[in-house]
Structure formats: C-alpha cells, structure tokens
Amino acid sequence: MLADELSPLLDHLEQSGITRGVAARVVEEVMAYFSETAEEFVRRRHRELQRAGVTNSRSLALIAQELVQRRVAAKGRYAVTAMLDLALNQRGGVVTVADISQRQQISVAYLE
C-alpha cells in the first residue's frame, strides 16, 4: 500500500479522471521503476527476454540499449555496461579493461 504522503498525488490523479485504484497502481509501478537498481533491471529484463525466446546475445544487446535510457547512477550504469560488454565480447578469450573502455567510451579509472 502506498504511503500517506502520496495521498495528494493520488487525489490529483483521481481528479484527472482515473480511479484511485488505477492511480495507486500507476504510482507504485513508477516508484518501483525508479527504485530498481541497474543490476535488478538487467536481471529482470533478461528473464523477460528469455521467456520471450530471445537469445542471450540478442537480449544482452537489447538490455545494453535500454540501460542507456534508464535513469541510474553512473557507477551502476558503468558496472552493468562493463558486464554486458564482457558477456558480448568474451568469445573464449581475455577481455581487458582497456578493451571495454575503448568500446564503451568509459574511462579506465571508472572501470577499475
């Protein structure tokens, strides 16, 4: 259930013509979206894409694109971007921090 401090927001949304129940659900979903960490987002989206039959390489590429659009802290975004880069570019060999830095245009200092 939503906290009492959100009641004015729910009142406003209800006045716009949607029911309070729908307003509460929308607010809860928006709050969940913005409170989800980058790691949680990647895990959730990967599960969703797996269920849809999307291959790992394609799902990781899609997630990387989606992650750019999400509002997450830079540190979290860089960490997940580096993990996705590793997953997409490993191919049985060594992937260096310098390689990731160059491909993703992220400073080596942020990746170390």
Side-chain angles (χ1 to χ4, degrees):
M1 195 66 188
L2 292 174
D4 289 336
E5 65 255 13
L6 295 176
S7 190
L9 174 59
L10 296 176
D11 293 342
H12 175 75
L13 292 171
E14 194 172 17
Q15 290 172 0
S16 72
I18 63 175
T19 67
R20 192 164 193 89
V22 170
R25 190 178 77 242
V26 168
V27 170
E28 284 181 23
E29 288 176 7
V30 169
M31 290 176 61
Y33 174 88
F34 283 108
S35 66
E36 185 176 51
T37 67
E39 181 179 351
E40 291 166 340
F41 168 74
V42 170
R43 290 177 186 276
R44 178 181 56 79
R45 281 299 289 145
H46 188 249
R47 280 191 308 271
E48 291 170 356
L49 293 167
Q50 278 182 321
R51 278 185 243 127
V54 179
T55 64
N56 277 341
S57 60
R58 179 69 183 133
S59 67
L60 293 174
L62 288 169
I63 292 167
Q65 291 172 353
E66 293 172 7
L67 193 60
V68 172
Q69 304 302 316
R70 287 188 57 89
R71 292 182 182 215
V72 295
K75 184 177 179 181
R77 183 172 53 248
Y78 293 152
V80 173
T81 300
M83 289 188 301
L84 290 171
D85 187 280
L86 279 169
L88 292 170
N89 295 294
Q90 182 179 0
R91 293 182 182 56
V94 174
V95 178
T96 67
V97 171
D99 294 336
I100 297 170
S101 173
Q102 183 177 10
R103 276 192 298 271
Q104 302 301 327
Q105 299 178 342
I106 300 172
S107 168
V108 171
Y110 279 109
L111 295 172
E112 291 181 326

